[in-house]
Amino acid sequence: MEFSIKSISPGQTRSGCAVVGVFESRKFSPAAAALDRATKGYLSTITGRGDMDGKLGTTLLLHSVPKIASDRVLLVGLGSEAEFRDRQYREAIAAAIKTLNTTGAAEATLHLTELGSVKRDIKWRVAHAVAVALEVAYRFERMKSKAEGTPSALRRLTLGAGDKTALRAATAGLEQGLAIAHGVSLARDLGNLPSNVCTPAYLADQARELARRYRMKVTVLEREDMEKLGMGALLSVAHGSAQPPKLIVLEHHGGAKAHKPVVLVGKGITFDTGGISLKPGAEMDEMKFDMCGAASVLGTLKAAGEMRLPLNVVGIIPTTENMPGGRATKPGDIVTTMSGQTVEILNTDAEGRLILCDALTYAERYQPAAVIDIATLTGACVIALGHVASGLFANDDALAGEVLAAGATAYDRAWQMPLWEDYQEQLKSNFGDFANIGGRPAGSVTAACFLARFTKKFKWAHLDIAGTAWKSGKEKGATGRPVPLLTHFLLKRSKKG
Ligand code: BES
Ligand code: MN
Ligand code: ZN
């Protein structure tokens, strides 16, 4: 889909479809009111008959509306104007795009971007309109032998910017929205690919491709390299697998040389069977999504590259399968991590923390300004927060605040959970320095507590995305979260936000 920005009046400019909003109690948005005047009250007649009552997310498509230059008009219900916020704005845009996709219009002009009622500036409104439009239009058909259904005719979307003074900010919003959407789309593709295609080696190739395209630096550590570094925890997870593990490092040098980088560490388990502590069979296919943390790191770096973000960013991806087998790690095995601390592996299904802990120790060499790890880490996080918020843990309150704020701006929200010392005792081990599980109570907190033992040397935040990285059921598929949150975090740090 192509996007452009124009400051136009909906009556006079020709379009395949002019998209305008109607609030509850049939109150017109400014663009709808302008169209109503141009058509001498045609729209009021329609709403007066009760065919569009402004309920949020409803749409009404009108053909051959008299006295205007556009082929079609799409009325979109906006709900109550007093309650019109981020969520409602995004839902209205999504509803509009879904309906447009069923029409023959190749081009449409979206006037919803002019809605000041949402209390966000034009840059935000345009960025989110672009991101939502591309999110709705997303299809994953790479693994189908032939295309299904009829492709949508919609090729071009013109976004209304209100007056001319808004054009610059709107253009910046367009650029930002596109970069985020492209990052999200990459993360979704990687998540949706099956584990027989998306292997650790495949992820490494993706990183190399990003490095080539955006002039980044890429390094891929092989098993022998990790052995030399003493990454006993990461390697222990790879023992049962026929696929060689990798540690991928992708560096975006957008800032001054002296500037310390933000380091993003993504869990890259390309399939999680649980290992010897085998998972039950139901829905095990969804464990191909256990590399969505890694995918979000690659997606965010793509967005950073596309925006030429003036900031140094390092992505670190420990990646392997977690498989049972004759060489696999067994419950009770004790491994020595790169940090020198020993871990008693009481459950081989708590493998995410094992690959992350060595990657976090490896991050020390970048003297990071901050480290954020992103992981589909615990089923317990899904129980705690469902599919709405990602779980946030941090050893620094200012950093936690930045992450929460970025999530709010991106509409990709996180919720902070405690990381108190009191929980650490659940990780006690009789044989090693500590265990890799802490029992059923507060499962996502003890997982974070485990990681906290490897992050003492820098400011660190941990995002548990087990509930937000993908959807189950009929709409099964990766969401691309938290690429929007991470990108906004980086934008703000680069002062381009
Ligand atoms: N990848 C899973 C976490 C997960 C489970 C995410 C279900 C989304 C849905 C992780 O590796 C795991 O298996 N965690 C265990 C930890 C437990 C053994 C302490 C879990 O959450 O059950
Ligand atoms: Mn697991
Ligand atoms: Zn896992």
Side-chain angles (χ1 to χ4, degrees):
M1 192 139 42
E2 270 176 53
F3 294 87
S4 58
I5 302 207
K6 283 199 185 117
S7 132
I8 34 181
S9 93
Q12 284 137 29
T13 320
R14 206 196 140 145
S15 167
C17 186
V19 183
V20 298
V22 182
F23 286 106
E24 238 167 55
S25 63
R26 299 176 201 145
K27 185 185 172 221
F28 288 139
S29 68
L35 266 189
D36 193 45
R37 282 192 298 276
T39 60
K40 305 269 183 292
Y42 186 82
L43 296 191
S44 316
T45 311
I46 303 256
T47 54
R49 285 179 187 150
D51 291 358
M52 160 54 76
D53 59 6
K55 224 175 124 230
L56 180 65
T58 58
T59 57
L60 181 66
L61 184 66
L62 306 174
H63 295 271
S64 313
V65 174
K67 303 189 186 74
I68 60 158
S70 295
D71 301 337
R72 305 170 187 78
V73 170
L74 180 65
L75 301 181
V76 182
L78 305 174
S80 139
E81 186 168 20
E83 286 162 27
F84 194 69
R85 292 289 180 282
D86 300 1
R87 188 175 72 80
Q88 289 79 2
Y89 176 79
R90 290 170 56 98
E91 201 169 319
I93 304 262
I97 304 296
K98 277 180 200 152
T99 305
L100 285 172
N101 280 337
T102 68
T103 72
E107 181 274 343
T109 303
L110 196 64
H111 290 283
L112 304 181
T113 40
E114 295 156 23
L115 287 168
S117 311
V118 67
K119 298 196 172 73
R120 292 285 195 175
D121 60 21
I122 182 73
K123 184 177 173 188
W124 185 98
R125 295 187 320 247
V126 167
H128 280 256
V130 171
V132 170
L134 289 174
E135 196 176 298
V136 170
Y138 176 86
R139 298 279 175 282
F140 182 76
E141 290 177 342
R142 267 174 68 183
M143 306 306 292
K144 304 250 188 210
S145 62
K146 42 187 174 300
E148 283 177 354
T150 39
S152 152
L154 192 65
R155 290 280 162 277
R156 273 181 306 121
L157 204 57
T158 308
L159 306 174
D163 57 60
K164 288 227 164 62
T165 58
L167 279 177
R168 257 182 85 126
T171 306
L174 172 58
E175 234 168 75
Q176 205 175 89
L178 280 176
I180 291 175
H182 294 156
V184 164
S185 173
L186 173 63
R188 291 177 84 177
D189 280 348
L190 293 174
N192 288 334
L193 280 171
S195 73
N196 60 329
V197 176
C198 186
T199 58
Y202 185 91
L203 288 177
D205 285 342
Q206 290 294 307
R208 290 188 186 103
E209 174 60 23
L210 287 176
R212 196 188 56 74
R213 189 143 161 213
Y214 301 107
R215 298 170 174 276
M216 296 174 184
K217 183 180 171 199
V218 66
T219 319
V220 178
L221 303 192
E222 305 292 336
R223 194 195 302 268
E224 304 76 66
D225 305 313
M226 296 184 247
E227 276 163 3
K228 281 187 200 127
L229 288 163
M231 296 181 160
L234 200 176
L235 289 168
S236 76
V237 177
H239 280 161
S241 170
Q243 294 290 341
K246 312 272 174 191
L247 186 93
I248 304 164
V249 184
L250 185 58
E251 300 172 46
H252 168 78
H253 292 276
K257 248 209 168 92
H259 278 181
K260 294 178 173 171
V262 171
V263 177
L264 304 176
V265 180
K267 172 178 173 183
I269 295 290
T270 58
F271 197 87
D272 183 11
T273 66
I276 297 298
S277 312
L278 194 64
K279 285 183 180 296
E283 278 123 49
M284 207 209 272
D285 65 289
E286 294 188 9
M287 283 298 117
K288 73 172 181 178
F289 295 120
D290 212 16
M291 35 55 69
C292 283
S296 76
V297 170
L298 293 176
T300 302
L301 275 151
K302 182 180 173 70
E306 210 172 292
M307 294 186 294
R308 299 170 189 273
L309 197 72
L311 189 76
N312 296 328
V313 186
V314 179
I316 303 181
I317 296 173
T319 173
T320 173
E321 290 178 335
N322 184 24
M323 297 287 283
R327 293 175 207 277
T329 295
K330 302 169 291 300
D333 287 2
I334 296 177
V335 297
T336 303
T337 63
M338 184 180 175
S339 72
Q341 303 175 98
T342 65
V343 176
E344 184 184 18
I345 300 176
L346 290 175
N347 189 320
T348 64
D349 197 11
E351 84 298 339
R353 59 200 82 179
L354 294 172
I355 68 169
L356 288 169
C357 72
D358 283 338
L360 287 166
T361 302
Y362 189 78
E364 285 173 11
R365 68 184 54 204
Y366 294 96
Q367 295 181 294
V371 177
I372 304 178
D373 80 73
I374 308 99
T376 49
L377 203 62
T378 64
C381 193
V382 191
I383 303 300
L385 299 173
H387 306 287
V388 177
S390 302
L392 169 68
F393 301 82
N395 65 7
D396 182 89
D397 284 337
L399 177 60
E402 276 180 84
V403 173
L404 291 171
T409 309
Y411 201 73
D412 179 8
R413 292 165 299 176
W415 189 259
Q416 194 173 1
M417 313 250 276
L419 194 64
W420 300 325
E421 277 295 316
D422 312 50
Y423 290 99
Q424 285 288 357
E425 64 186 64
Q426 286 179 236
L427 293 174
K428 239 176 89 38
S429 159
N430 286 0
F431 304 107
D433 292 349
F434 46 91
N436 76 328
I437 54 169
R440 279 178 45 94
S444 26
V445 182
T446 51
C449 283
F450 180 96
L451 297 177
R453 293 172 182 252
F454 300 86
T455 58
K456 298 245 158 75
K457 298 197 177 134
F458 41 71
K459 291 177 181 168
W460 160 74
H462 157 60
L463 284 166
D464 193 331
I465 58 167
T468 51
W470 76 89
K471 290 182 181 158
S472 310
K474 214 160 66 63
E475 307 239 299
K476 182 154 58 184
T479 60
R481 290 179 68 183
V483 170
L485 178 157
L486 294 169
T487 309
H488 273 284
F489 175 87
L490 297 178
L491 273 163
K492 195 86 189 184
R493 283 242 161 174
S494 78
K495 303 203 171 63
K496 263 187 86 174

